[in-house]
Amino acid sequence: MSYRSALSFAVLLISAALAAALAPALAAQTAKHPLDGLSPREHWAVYDVLQASGKLDSTFHLLYVGLREPEKSQVLAWKPGQPITRRALVHLTQGKSGYEAVVDITGKQLVSWTAVTGRQYMTSFAEFSDAEKVALKDPRVRDALKKRGVTDFTHINCGPANNGYFDLPEERDRRVLHVTCSDERGRVSGYADDFGGLVVVVDLTNDKVLRVVDSGVVPRSGPNADHDPEAIGPTRAAVNPVEMVQPRGPSYTLDGHEVSWQNWKFHFRVDGRRGLVISRVRYVDGGKERDVMYQGSLSELFVPYMDANDPWNYQGYFDLGTYPAVFGGIASSLEPGVECPTYATYFSNVVTTDKGRPRERYRTSCLFERSTGDVAWRHTRDGGATNEARPRTDLVLRMYMNAGNYDYLFDWVFQQDGAITVNLGATGLDQVKAASGTARDKDFGRMIANKLIGVNHSHFFNFRLDMDVDGPSNTLLVDRLETKTLPADNPRRSIWTVNTLTAQTEKDGLRMSSMNAPEIWRIANPAVNNPFGDPVAYEIEGHGAMSLMTPDDYMRKRAGFVDHTLWVTPYSPTELFASGDYPTNSVAGDGLAKWTAANRPIANRDVVAWLTLGFHHVPRPEDWPVMPVAWHSFAIRPVGFFGRSPAIDLPKLR
């Protein structure tokens, strides 16, 4: 999430705000489920309580307002029609300080108001503006820009390259940002013209420039990455339309945000920080609802860049923990017929301005059935004379996230075979720097456009999966596939076998699986056996690239969740984010690394699995100006949860 990306995103936010201002007044909404997102009137109630508390002054900026979930036991015990107590969690800044508040919406009172001391809050456009003002009023900065040919400062913008932090003396107890500048003139749909070789280190706590790093004038590339129709030019001939229609409507049923489809039942909402939150996932088996997962959602997204030079060496983005206020909530609007099928059901959610005014963001998620001509299962017998096959249909719940220069696509796919697949795609714009024309240009990236270097980087996603397989008391079983040498009298020299470890503590739950040491991870219920005497279970299957940063790299320490593909912890309602609640400018060691240091018991308990999915990106010219979508995925599959294939009863097409 670069500053110039944020500026582009700001234009979109302003347009959305204007559209919302012209829309009819938001109608009252009543929560039908304890995990429903906040309605517009509930957002106003939060604002009214904060104002009435006397805690706010004129400098406040709201960074996040979202549902403070009820206790898990209360949600599990709740029945439709029963009263619901509603609370909100609020992150905000006031003056130079950050605060966290809990508001009782039902009782219309402030439950808590806590100063965020020793930790740093999310960033905001207000902070971007403050950083620009401090930078541009410094004569050294203006002189450096004039040296680069600037005579008109009207469209010059300066802002933080990102919120990097290395626990250096100048950074402790201060809000220190590394600021870069660009010229917006001529930009239409891509990047502004960046001034390479110039970094301004700004102390926002004391509103001063600590130093100006000027490594010399770098040839300017001009505005770049434009991808509007005029910039693209002539297009190829369109393909003939391919359409899927449902003349009798969808097969799923909706009750608010509760979904029922093909034996699956679940609830969902869109949260401003976590995005899609899938809850109370159950499968109807023989007329009985069986628990699979209490809740699943994205927990953090960490993107470190691999350039040793300032400001790139500070670029390690925690998109969920730092930028939701800049994004206006991480879910962006979907275009019917392009980003979701026209026949999909669309859902809007409510976001709030930094001053507490609710706005409806339209079509932030969609739900649809998808049939692509694939089969759910197939077998040919009798020498090919007889064929049995059943068509596959999936239910897809989709959300797209704009994270400055990147766009991320998230699909939760519910399958007829009892599995859930999560697909995530990455597209958008590569971050680039101007080429200097020297041999060192390619040290940290690749030339992907005229005078532009795409900088190498990685992406690490962490998903929080609160599994409740046939109830909350679960255990991690690790199936290790190991080579076994056979006796000399056997013509076969070796086979592989499965050696199962029952994880007892969090240390046992720190897992990595490699090509030459594969593991299968099952979340099992030891108290419930399948017809064959084995504990019912769901496996979590997902493997991606691991971090190549050294263990002593402070940036890696701040994102400790990248150290393992799988983590398993005992359930705690306060442990929601893999890098902790406040990863912005954070001290190393928070989140999963800190929690698991206690080595708590995890056997036959309510446990949470945390899956890290990563990939490395060496940019290529074919990424420019907008990257084709690159897909990655993981799956949650039944292992002995059923007595036979749950897809075997799919009807045959006539």
Side-chain angles (χ1 to χ4, degrees), residues 1-4 6 63 93 119-131 159-168 170-171 174-180 199-205 300-305 310-327 431 554-556 558-559 579 582-588:
M1 172 66 192
S2 65
Y3 176 65
R4 53 184 177 170
L63 304 176
T93 58
R119 296 182 292 180
Q120 302 222 20
Y121 42 83
M122 298 176 184
T123 192
S124 65
F125 278 121
E127 181 170 80
F128 286 4
S129 177
D130 290 344
N162 91 321
N163 294 74
Y165 185 84
F166 290 95
D167 199 34
L168 301 175
E170 70 177 18
E171 298 173 328
R174 299 177 187 175
R175 192 77 160 184
V176 176
L177 306 177
H178 286 231
V179 170
T180 59
V199 180
V200 187
V201 183
V202 175
D203 175 1
L204 274 185
T205 303
E300 190 53 85
L301 169 53
F302 173 57
V303 186
Y305 279 76
D310 198 344
W312 292 93
N313 57 346
Y314 273 75
Q315 304 216 140
Y317 300 101
F318 292 85
D319 280 336
L320 269 64
T322 301
Y323 296 102
V326 174
F327 303 153
Q431 278 222 60
Y554 201 82
M555 187 175 287
R556 174 172 176 164
R558 292 177 58 219
S579 287
Y582 296 94
T584 305
N585 291 25
S586 61
V587 176

Side-chain angles (χ1 to χ4, degrees), residues 18 166 216 432:
L18 290 173
F166 290 95
V432 293

